[in-house]
Structures are given as C-alpha cells and as structure tokens.
Amino acid sequence: MEHSRLVFTPLIYTGWGAAAELLPEVEKYSPARILLVTDSVLVQIGLAERVIAPLKSKGYEVEVYAETVPEPPLEVGEKLVAYTKNGKFDMVIGMGGGSALDLAKLAAVLSVHEGPVADFLNLTGTRKVEKKGLPKILIPTTSGTGSEVTNISVLSLESTKDVVTHDHLLADAAIVDPELTVTVPPRVTAATGIDALTHAVEAYVSVNANPATDGLALQAIRLISRSLRKAVANGRDKQARIDMSSGSYLAGLAFFNAGVAGVHALAYPIGGQFHIAHGESNAVLLPYVMGYIRKSCTKRMSDILNAVGGNSAYLSEEEASYRCVEELERLVKDVGIPNTLGGFNIPESALDSLTEDGAKQKRLLARSPLPLEKEDIRKIYRAAFDGVIVEPGA
C-alpha cells in the first residue's frame, strides 16, 4: 500500500468530567428539538437524565428514546429511523454502549434519506448514503466499541450481521468521559474491554496498517492490557477506568482507519446466530484466530507481546509470537469470559453454518495478513470449539 487515507472525528473531548462539554457543543447548533438515543438501563439509573440536565436547564427540548437493545436487529434500526423522521428533530445525541451509538448514527443520517434501512446495508443494499443528516454527538458509557469515532453502524440479521457505513455517519463531536463508565458491571466491562483490545490487535496486524494507526493501536493495547483486569475487579478504580476509556477510543481510531479482520468476521455469525454479545464473540475467538494467522505476522505479534506487558528481548520472533497468543488467551480467561464455543452453549452442529456465514464477511477478511479461505475458517471455528489452538496445515 503506497498511500493511506486517515479519517478522524472532527472533535473528541476526553477525560474525567468531559460530559460538561455537551452543552457548549449543543449550543453551536441551536436545535429546537433534540433526540437522545440511549438504553433503558441508563434511564433507570438516572445517568441519562444527569447528562442531559444542563440542556434542559437552558430550555432545550430533549426527547428520550430508550428502546435500543444489544446487538440491534435490522427492524430496531428501521423503527428508530422512522421515529426520527416523524419527530422532526434537529439533532441526535447517542449515549450508551456501541449499540445505542450505532443506532444514533443510523437515525441521524438515514432519517433524511428515502427508503428502508435495509436498502443501505453493505452486503445486500442497493442505495448509497448521500446526505450528511442531522448533527450528532456521541457519548460512550462503555469502554469497548469505539463507535463514537467510526463511520459504521452494525445491525443483526437473521443469522449474521451487516453494516451501514459512510463518512456521513461520523460524529460531529465525541465525548469520552470515563466517569460515565464506573457503573458498568464486571461482565460488560470484560466483554467491551476485550472488544477494544481486539480492535487494536487486529488494526496492528491489518494489511492496511500504517505508522499512524500503529501508534494508536500499540498505545491502546498498553492501556487496555494494564487496566482491564483492574476495571473488572473494581469498577470504581478511577485510573483503570481512565485507561480503558482512552484505550477504547484510541483503538477505535486505529481500527476505523486500518480495519479489523478475521476475529470480527468470525464473531459476526456467532452474534447473529446465537445472540451472544459482540465483545464476548470476539473474546472467545481472539486467541484462536491470532494463533492461526501467527506465522503471517510474527514481528508484529512480538510487538504486541511487549505492549501487553511481556518481554520479547530474549526471544526469537517465533517464540515471542507464541507467547503473545498465550498472553491474549490468559487475559480473556482472567476477566472471566469462556474460552470455547461450548462455554457459550454453541453446539458442534453449528460449525458448518458459522463457517458459511463467516466466509461471507469479505469486507473484513480482506484485511487479514493471512488470507482466510472457507477451509481456514472452518478450522478456526473447530479449534474454538475444541479449545485447542491450531495452525494452517494442522
């Protein structure tokens, strides 16, 4: 690759208390009606109200839409886009995990387009995104998806997932405030944290990696690997939450520009067919995919070993790459995520359908340093079912 295209969200506010930047950002647009897309849990615990209270005190009309769900199906996206069209809103604020942020992006952009959301899907759609849509501000309350800095909205289909993707889906501003993440429960902290780590790892070994994304990815890996166990053990560990928030958005910037590959490609069918959280789907596959492609990127995996706190100084690249896979496997185990497909009650009989759907994710698979054909994908799923890391030819 001789040249690279780098895209970054125009404004990113980060740090403890950064949510205070919401009001000044909203005031730039003087919206008459604002739609807050969030989830019912954030409404119930009062976090949504706390964040929008400064807007209400200034007289802004904010309508709360909390009918989002994890791994949102296409029909949830269709419903929200229709709601946004009918509501005549001037701005969309997305607040929550990746699903809420993805849906907010979708609502802001596709509410000014004709036709159903299905027509804009990457794999099967026939329409193109043409209009920027409503101004949008995205506020993550988990440290994982990086959705606040990407141009992708992921939707679940019957047996897999697809995306709407266009630069018009980029936020006008992203507010990354680790203080908003302290109430996230341990299991969600673990899953979203491994999701963020996977973004960084896959971006670093991607065929589209470049010096800018390399720096972002390695720093994200350092921050996440040193803080994830702490954040899972004690959600109120301030420094751990700060590290996780920073690591997550840096990983988001890295993978948005360099791309993710095999782990995500094979995770999509697991989420689609078995409704397993995206972060957990990535987590269970991460060691098996990286173990399988290891020989195609031993130097880079040696770098990752150092970033996760290991030491490659006295190891060959080959030895360091092995150790890297072991460290990734250990981290997934330490945060309590099952390390086999069976741990998620996925039966052996599902391996064929998972393989078929995984092989369709060509947009993602194209970034893998080792080309993954259908037979490779089958071997990786089999390895994840058996709990044994394998390599090509095995």
Side-chain angles (χ1 to χ4, degrees), residues 58-126:
K58 288 287 187 177
Y60 287 105
E61 182 184 346
V62 184
E63 190 162 319
V64 177
Y65 185 99
E67 296 178 40
T68 65
V69 295
E71 318 300 318
L74 175 61
E75 51 268 28
V76 171
E78 300 278 14
K79 182 180 177 182
L80 174 57
V81 169
Y83 184 91
T84 310
K85 281 181 180 177
N86 294 335
K88 296 183 167 48
F89 297 100
D90 306 296
M91 169 178 276
V92 175
I93 298 172
M95 177 182 172
S99 296
L101 302 189
D102 279 7
L103 287 168
K105 291 190 277 190
L106 203 69
V109 174
L110 294 191
S111 62
V112 304
H113 287 76
E114 296 299 319
V117 173
D119 286 358
F120 295 89
L121 291 172
N122 175 67
L123 294 177
T124 56
T126 56

Side-chain angles (χ1 to χ4, degrees), residues 146-167:
S147 179
E148 70 275 9
V149 294
T150 70
N151 67 355
I152 304 165
S153 179
V154 184
L155 295 166
S156 296
L157 306 181
E158 190 172 329
S159 64
T160 186
K161 295 184 179 183
D162 202 353
V163 301
V164 177
T165 177
H166 192 282
D167 283 353

